[in-house]
Amino acid sequence: MKRKISSLLGQLFRVYVREFRVIFKDQGLLVFFILLPIAYPIIYSLIYNPELVRDVPLVIVDHDRTQLSREFVRRMDATQEVWVKGYADDMPEARRALAGRDCFAILEIPENFQKDLGRLDGADVVLYTDMTLMLRYKGFLMAATNVSQEMGAEIQKRDLQTDLPVAVSVNDPMKVQNISMGDITGGFDSFVMPGVLILILQQCIVLAIGMAGGAKREPSYITGYISFNEEPSVFMTMLGQMLSFMTIMIVPMLFLVHYVPMMFSFPMAGNTLQILAFLLPMVIGSICLGYCLQTIVLERESIFVIWVVTSLIFLFLSGLTWPRFAMPPFWQYVGDCVPATWGVEGFIRMNANGADLQQVSVEYKAMWIQAGVYFVIAYLLQRFVMRPVVRANYPLTPEQRASIEE
């Protein structure tokens, strides 16, 4: 028994050491294990940095020219999103300013603006915005909405002469201020990037494992090294490879979940060690998912076609841009099969809202169950599909077996 355990541990150690040599000889694997987890989040974060726009120029076309229309313009200019650059005599002049990039939006105030509001009939202002940047559109829309609601409430309170029950039914007796938990600035970057970090982590792992599977099917004279472990135990081979992968991913993971939020001022309310412990089953599940995909990866480059096209799908399934409760049941079940779905949900709660492991126990347990299921499937595929195919196509020479034993 001791001899058998010693033999298994020896296989584990040889695979662990050998995988390090294989990875550091392969520039493609190094890119996905080290470079992409570091470069991807920086590039994505810089795209939306700064994540809020301030004082974007706006041109006014005021057909009313009354005290109330000027007050509306003054309040628009007082918002942090808008800078009223000036007035235009008519819409053609304002459109020329918009086309020449002198402004990025036009606010048109209709005739009889003050008269209609004085009669409590309501008056419409028209906002035309440039859509080349969604952050600018969001800023203009928020500023116009907030100013119109505020002025409308003031006019109703001042001019509506009625008893208390009617006033309560018309006006909002309690002003509500909306503050997003974990994103107090309301920035797009702080909202979406914490979840995207987990999707990047999953993508890099699966791409690297898939590329390693494609290398197994290629002869050594193409890859430059022997890409296949011929240890007797498939279990120990997989375990040794997984340990080497996770060892290499420690630094990129720490960079993703701690230093990227620190660099770009993302929410950081969680404990880093607990977050790393939470992500451990997701990493294992992603590795095993990569093992499963190895059976259909015939070449190293095939994994890009198979996996990269799923990035946008997984972004939607994670619930970042499409709430999971609003999804049809089929898509909810599909999302449950993706390790990053549970990882995104738990990571946002921990990193943005300060939850601990106990408060994300549902996601944590789900990822461990998922990792176990994927490991069993991966083991069966590696033993009964992958290994026989590789042995049949590229049998090792005695010299290659000797180099493995060394």
Side-chain angles (χ1 to χ4, degrees):
M1 184 66 179
K2 291 182 179 180
R3 185 176 298 176
K4 184 176 181 179
I5 294 176
S6 177
S7 174
L8 292 175
L9 292 177
Q11 294 179 47
L12 178 66
F13 178 75
R14 287 193 296 272
V15 173
Y16 180 81
V17 172
R18 185 179 178 279
E19 282 302 312
F20 267 101
R21 297 176 183 172
V22 170
I23 291 172
F24 283 97
K25 287 181 180 179
D26 190 330
Q27 296 180 355
L29 295 180
L30 286 177
V31 166
F32 289 112
F33 274 126
I34 298 177
L35 181 61
L36 284 189
I38 295 176
Y40 257 29
I42 294 178
I43 295 173
Y44 275 89
S45 300
L46 286 175
I47 292 174
Y48 297 102
N49 187 36
E51 52 185 318
L52 296 175
V53 292
R54 311 287 189 189
D55 292 330
V56 184
L58 169 77
V59 165
I60 304 295
V61 179
D62 189 355
H63 298 294
D64 196 45
R65 297 286 180 170
T66 58
Q67 184 271 336
L68 199 59
S69 67
R70 288 192 295 271
E71 176 65 14
F72 190 92
V73 174
R74 187 192 68 79
R75 295 195 184 192
M76 283 287 292
D77 191 34
T79 62
Q80 63 180 357
E81 295 89 1
V82 175
W83 167 43
V84 176
K85 190 171 183 179
Y87 285 81
D89 294 332
D90 50 27
M91 282 301 297
E93 181 182 351
R95 289 194 184 98
R96 286 194 295 270
L98 184 64
R101 297 298 189 189
D102 293 327
C103 67
F104 293 95
I106 302 169
L107 183 70
E108 185 180 19
I109 301 176
E111 294 182 14
N112 301 322
F113 176 76
Q114 180 170 301
K115 184 184 296 185
D116 291 340
L117 288 178
R119 294 191 305 229
L120 297 180
D121 290 338
D124 297 328
V125 294
V126 184
L127 180 66
Y128 303 91
T129 64
D130 182 291
M131 293 294 291
T132 55
L133 183 64
M134 289 297 295
L135 293 178
R136 284 198 293 259
Y137 166 76
K138 174 188 174 184
F140 285 128
L141 184 62
M142 288 181 59
T145 302
N146 292 337
V147 170
S148 61
Q149 288 180 343
E150 182 180 354
M151 287 188 64
E154 291 178 1
I155 292 171
Q156 286 182 339
K157 290 177 182 178
R158 183 187 64 205
D159 297 341
L160 188 61
Q161 302 296 329
T162 184
D163 55 5
L164 181 61
V166 176
V168 169
S169 66
V170 174
N171 297 291
D172 186 1
M174 182 179 295
K175 185 177 181 180
V176 178
Q177 184 178 9
N178 181 23
I179 299 177
S180 302
M181 295 181 63
D183 184 14
I184 58 176
T185 63
F188 182 81
D189 212 6
S190 296
F191 166 71
V192 74
M193 275 307 298
V196 172
L197 294 178
I198 305 304
L199 291 168
I200 289 173
L201 178 62
Q202 175 189 256
Q203 185 182 51
C204 292
I205 292 173
V206 175
L207 286 173
I209 307 302
M211 179 176 285
K216 292 179 182 180
R217 297 174 181 266
E218 298 178 1
S220 58
Y221 69 85
I222 295 179
T223 60
Y225 57 85
I226 305 166
S227 56
F228 175 59
N229 281 292
E230 206 180 46
E231 296 291 345
S233 174
V234 177
F235 179 84
M236 286 299 168
T237 298
M238 290 179 58
L239 188 59
Q241 291 175 336
M242 291 173 62
L243 289 175
S244 66
F245 299 151
M246 288 189 288
T247 303
I248 294 173
M249 288 298 298
I250 289 176
V251 173
M253 280 184 60
L254 185 62
F255 179 79
L256 275 171
V257 303
H258 183 72
Y259 288 102
V260 171
M262 181 185 297
M263 290 166 57
F264 294 97
S265 301
F266 296 157
M268 292 186 64
N271 181 278
T272 303
L273 292 179
Q274 288 195 13
I275 291 174
L276 292 175
F278 171 78
L279 293 177
L280 176 62
M282 195 209 80
V283 172
I284 296 175
S286 299
I287 293 174
C288 295
L289 178 59
Y291 276 130
C292 296
L293 293 177
Q294 282 185 355
T295 57
I296 58 176
V297 177
L298 304 181
E299 297 174 345
R300 293 159 59 89
E301 296 79 9
S302 302
I303 188 63
F304 298 105
V305 180
I306 297 171
W307 189 252
V308 173
V309 295
T310 62
S311 301
L312 187 59
I313 299 174
F314 292 158
L315 177 63
F316 282 104
L317 294 180
S318 67
L320 282 175
T321 57
W322 184 13
R324 282 177 53 79
F325 65 82
M327 297 180 187
F330 171 78
W331 290 113
Q332 291 186 22
Y333 296 144
V334 173
D336 291 342
C337 297
V338 181
T341 299
W342 301 100
V344 167
E345 197 167 329
F347 176 73
I348 290 177
R349 291 183 185 179
M350 297 181 73
N351 201 51
N353 301 329
D356 55 23
L357 273 176
Q358 185 176 1
Q359 292 172 311
V360 292
S361 58
V362 174
E363 293 82 5
Y364 193 54
K365 293 175 182 177
M367 287 192 298
W368 276 117
I369 295 172
Q370 192 179 62
V373 172
Y374 276 130
F375 183 86
V376 172
I377 297 173
Y379 172 80
L380 296 175
L381 292 175
Q382 289 290 318
R383 179 171 182 178
F384 298 107
V385 178
M386 193 68 185
R387 177 166 285 207
V389 168
V390 174
R391 280 179 170 172
N393 292 339
Y394 306 109
L396 298 181
T397 64
E399 293 78 9
Q400 290 172 337
R401 288 195 177 89
S403 66
I404 291 177
E405 295 173 358
E406 293 176 359

